[in-house]
Amino acid sequence: QVQLVESGGGLIQAGGSLRLSCAASGRTFSNFAMGWFRQAPGKEREFVSAISWNGGSADYADSVKGRFTISRDNAKNTMVLQMNRLKPEDTAVYYCAARWGVVRIAPGDYKYWGQGTQVTVST
């Protein structure tokens, strides 16, 4: 089993930045593609960003492209989402996820999930 724990969420003013982290344990981290997803109240869980097992490929949702940056450090079993120029529409619970194989953007393609961390962006 793989355990994932997110941290770094909070309340921030529009235009500000947050750095979300995901810590993995229980299995070798480098075998998995990793992703970030978010879910606002009453909304479906949606793709934010994902990164390949070696960090060589990354995908971003159009809504965050140019503002968010995903990275990973397999030696530390961590993944980071740097979020800049935050907007109120970024408000959601953000989830870390992992899957065996290549990067995918559908939540159903990911087997392992963290508990989520709340990000609230005020106007």
Side-chain angles (χ1 to χ4, degrees), residues 30-66:
S30 61
N31 290 332
F32 296 90
M34 304 287 295
W36 289 97
F37 297 80
R38 66 189 183 188
Q39 188 166 19
K43 304 287 187 173
E44 296 294 312
R45 190 166 298 187
E46 66 174 357
F47 170 76
V48 177
S49 185
I51 188 167
S52 61
W53 72 273
N54 63 354
S57 299
D59 288 341
Y60 297 91
D62 289 343
S63 59
V64 307
K65 195 170 297 182

Side-chain angles (χ1 to χ4, degrees), residues 45-101:
R45 190 166 298 187
E46 66 174 357
F47 170 76
V48 177
S49 185
I51 188 167
S52 61
W53 72 273
N54 63 354
S57 299
D59 288 341
Y60 297 91
D62 289 343
S63 59
V64 307
K65 195 170 297 182
R67 298 189 296 120
F68 292 8
T69 303
I70 191 170
S71 61
R72 67 190 295 166
D73 186 339
N74 289 349
K76 297 180 179 179
N77 284 351
T78 58
M79 178 181 64
V80 167
L81 184 69
Q82 178 66 47
M83 306 187 295
N84 299 323
R85 304 194 306 281
L86 283 160
K87 304 175 180 179
E89 51 262 47
D90 295 319
T91 295
V93 176
Y94 282 70
Y95 296 91
C96 173
R99 71 181 305 273
W100 177 266

Side-chain angles (χ1 to χ4, degrees), residues 95-118:
Y95 296 91
C96 173
R99 71 181 305 273
W100 177 266
V102 300
V103 165
R104 304 296 293 175
I105 66 171
D109 290 332
Y110 287 77
K111 180 176 177 65
Y112 303 104
W113 293 86
Q115 84 289 347
T117 185
Q118 177 71 46

